[in-house]
Amino acid sequence: MDLKSIFNSVLEGDAEAVRTGVNQMLESGASAESILHEALIPAMDEVGKRFEEGDFFVPEMLIAARAMQSGLGLLKPHLAEGDVQSSGKVVIGTVKGDLHDIGKNLVAMMLEGAGFEVVDLGTDVDPTKFIEEVRNGAQIIGMSALLTTTMNNMKAVIEAIEDIGMREQVKIMIGGAPVTGEYAKSIGADGFASDASSAVRLAKELMG
Ligand code: B1M
């Protein structure tokens, strides 16, 4: 099994083959980072491309995503940096109306690995849930969006936090394929990260 076979198994939505491939690669000494960045993530990019071109439909996209997630689960212990001290409490979720969670899960996983306490609210998260967590002492709110139609819900969450007068008590970071640094600034977020490793760096910066 090699990186190319794992890539192909994700495209075929063959979760069992992905798990076998990932395990074999790890046993043979491959790094979790290379499996992630050279097989699993590129496979999802290819899925997106095929979807745009009309070669894949939602069901194919869904089973490929499941296969990707099953490989990701095996990488989790290897991606952890293993800091023991708590670096802070991050509450993360995919915004209202959006069901994409692979990127958000990856960010949550890496933050946990870096020693953050992570509360994962899941997908399609209503702004009221984020507000509840701000009241419960979240130090960072992390929002993910993959759709151009849902990214504006990030703004709604920030406005809701401002409305309850708690904007100064919490840092806000955002990410997801359509999100940019410019967009983050325009909605008053404290930062944007383009991938999971930069999300960890950003969270550490935000915690000062
Ligand atoms: Co959807 N989908 N999808 N999809 N899907 C996209 C996003 C799309 C770009 C595909 C395409 O057309 N090329 C397109 C959006 C177009 C647009 O808005 N402009 C799209 C569409 C249209 C849709 C539907 C509307 C399709 C339909 O029903 N007709 C529908 C919407 C459902 C909904 O959410 N309401 C839909 C559904 C789905 C599935 C459910 C089938 C499945 C998701 C399964 C799941 O997540 N459990 C799915 C998938 C798999 C994709 C693609 C193919 C892959 C997304 C992914 O997992 N990427 C995607 C195409 C693409 O992105 N290339 C696509 C891998 C992941 C590791 O990357 O999520 O970008 P990403 O995360 C990165 C960074 O962005 C960053 O770090 C991560 C790690 O590096 N990051 C953060 C993410 N969140 C962060 C938060 C941070 C910091 C960094 O701080 C808090």
Side-chain angles (χ1 to χ4, degrees):
M1 202 48 107
D2 55 14
L3 293 168
K4 185 73 189 160
S5 324
I6 297 175
F7 174 94
N8 287 333
S9 301
V10 172
L11 287 184
E12 287 156 14
D14 188 343
E16 183 70 45
V18 172
R19 277 194 297 274
T20 307
V22 169
N23 276 329
Q24 281 180 6
M25 291 290 296
L26 287 172
E27 275 163 23
S28 70
S31 72
E33 284 77 10
S34 69
I35 299 172
L36 181 65
H37 293 291
E38 291 166 42
L40 298 180
I41 291 183
M44 293 318 291
D45 287 341
E46 179 62 23
V47 170
K49 203 167 135 235
R50 292 189 186 189
F51 178 73
E52 264 172 35
E53 289 166 354
D55 294 332
F56 267 23
F57 297 94
V58 173
E60 283 97 341
M61 201 149 70
L62 192 58
I63 56 164
R66 285 190 187 142
M68 181 326 176
Q69 302 246 46
S70 70
L72 200 56
L74 296 174
L75 296 185
K76 186 174 178 179
H78 302 270
L79 291 172
E81 276 177 27
D83 289 9
V84 277
Q85 269 174 306
S86 171
S87 312
K89 181 177 174 185
V90 184
V91 175
I92 193 165
T94 305
V95 293
K96 183 90 192 140
D98 201 320
L99 302 175
H100 296 86
D101 66 356
I102 297 178
K104 183 264 298 167
N105 293 347
L106 194 52
V107 171
M109 209 179 263
M110 300 280 284
L111 285 169
E112 269 178 13
F116 284 90
E117 179 194 346
V118 178
V119 176
D120 187 347
L121 299 177
T123 59
D124 189 20
V125 179
D126 196 87
T128 55
K129 291 216 177 118
F130 284 112
I131 296 293
E132 211 176 299
E133 293 297 334
V134 173
R135 292 193 200 277
N136 284 342
Q139 288 161 296
I140 299 180
I141 290 288
M143 290 182 276
S144 179
L146 263 285
L147 299 172
T148 44
T149 48
T150 57
M151 58 194 268
N152 277 332
N153 293 331
M154 294 174 158
K155 188 170 178 233
V157 172
I158 296 178
E159 284 171 355
I161 296 172
E162 281 165 358
D163 287 349
I164 59 162
M166 292 190 75
R167 182 64 187 89
E168 297 306 313
Q169 277 90 308
V170 69
K171 298 288 184 191
I172 296 170
M173 60 187 267
I174 63 173
V179 179
T180 61
E182 209 171 287
Y183 177 72
K185 251 191 202 155
S186 77
I187 63 168
D190 297 300
F192 150 79
S194 59
D195 58 43
S197 316
S198 22
V200 171
R201 271 198 302 278
L202 174 62
K204 285 182 174 170
E205 266 170 45
L206 293 177
M207 291 303 296

